[in-house]
């Protein structure tokens, strides 16, 4: 596990950018954290770096469940806040978007069973104060 302390959006962007440089198509990142913890901020920076899209264009897909950003590398950004479990995920066909030609970022991953976690990159974000975040990244055993 790698743990970082971020005291600003700029530091969070730096951590996300460093992680983005290590990712490859097919990687799945699972994000954990309370409402307002900074998951979307982290993903905006990560997806922007990967896809080449402006961070301003990257929005949380809370009401659509997923946004896709095509560009340098395709990024699928899921927000599972309104789901109740794996069954909802599969019933909506969201599993079909987890492909080897994209990098997937899943907010509210705790809505899924632990079976999803075994090959994914786990990103836990915890607020420590108004501006400070603890960001822990757990890489899967089979990490390249």
């Amino acid at each position: 596990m790698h743990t970082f302390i971020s005291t600003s959006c700029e530091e969070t962007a730096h951590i996300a950018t460093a992680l983005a440089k290590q990712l490859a198509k097919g990687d799945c990142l699972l994000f954990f954290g309370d409402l307002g913890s900074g998951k979307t901020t982290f993903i905006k920076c990560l997806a922007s770096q990967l896809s080449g899209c402006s961070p301003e264009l990257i929005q949380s897909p809370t009401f659509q469940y997923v946004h896709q950003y095509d560009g340098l590398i395709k990024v699928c950004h899921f927000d599972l806040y309104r789901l109740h479990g794996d069954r909802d995920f599969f019933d909506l066909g969201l599993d079909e978007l987890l492909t080897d030609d994209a990098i997937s970022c899943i907010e509210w991953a705790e809505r899924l069973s632990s079976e999803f976690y075994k090959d994914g990159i786990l990103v836990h974000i915890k607020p420590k104060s108004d501006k400070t975040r603890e960001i822990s990244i757990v890489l899967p055993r089979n990490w390249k």
Side-chain angles (χ1 to χ4, degrees):
M1 177 180 352
H2 305 279
T3 302
F4 306 89
I5 300 296
S6 172
T7 59
S8 67
C9 289
E10 293 78 22
E11 286 182 12
T12 298
H14 180 72
I15 296 164
T17 297
L19 179 58
K21 291 177 181 176
Q22 299 178 47
L23 299 176
K25 291 179 181 179
D27 284 340
C28 183
L29 293 89
L30 300 125
F31 288 81
F32 302 84
D34 293 335
L35 196 63
S37 63
K39 298 180 299 292
T40 301
T41 298
F42 192 99
I43 293 171
K44 278 182 156 207
C45 300
L46 185 83
S48 175
Q49 180 73 29
L50 292 167
S51 69
C53 294
S54 168
E56 291 80 32
L57 297 177
I58 299 169
Q59 302 295 319
S60 183
T62 302
F63 296 103
Q64 289 99 7
Y65 298 111
V66 65
H67 286 165
Q68 184 172 300
Y69 303 98
D70 295 314
L72 304 170
I73 296 175
K74 182 170 33 174
V75 177
C76 291
H77 178 190
F78 298 83
D79 186 324
L80 307 185
Y81 182 73
R82 297 184 307 125
L83 297 188
H84 299 288
D86 291 356
R87 183 174 180 101
D88 289 350
F89 189 77
F90 289 108
D91 286 350
L92 290 167
L94 297 175
D95 59 307
E96 296 171 16
L97 298 172
L98 299 172
T99 65
D100 288 338
D101 71 333
I103 293 176
S104 299
C105 297
I106 302 176
E107 287 190 62
W108 298 99
E110 55 268 32
R111 302 284 197 262
L112 301 173
S113 68
S114 61
E115 187 65 25
F116 278 88
Y117 308 163
K118 68 180 181 179
D119 295 325
I121 298 164
L122 311 181
V123 182
H124 297 267
I125 303 177
K126 295 179 188 172
K128 294 298 186 182
S129 69
D130 283 347
K131 293 186 179 185
T132 303
R133 302 290 186 262
E134 179 182 277
I135 301 169
S136 299
I137 300 170
V138 181
L139 303 173
R141 289 192 177 148
N142 63 352
W143 182 252
K144 24 191 172 316

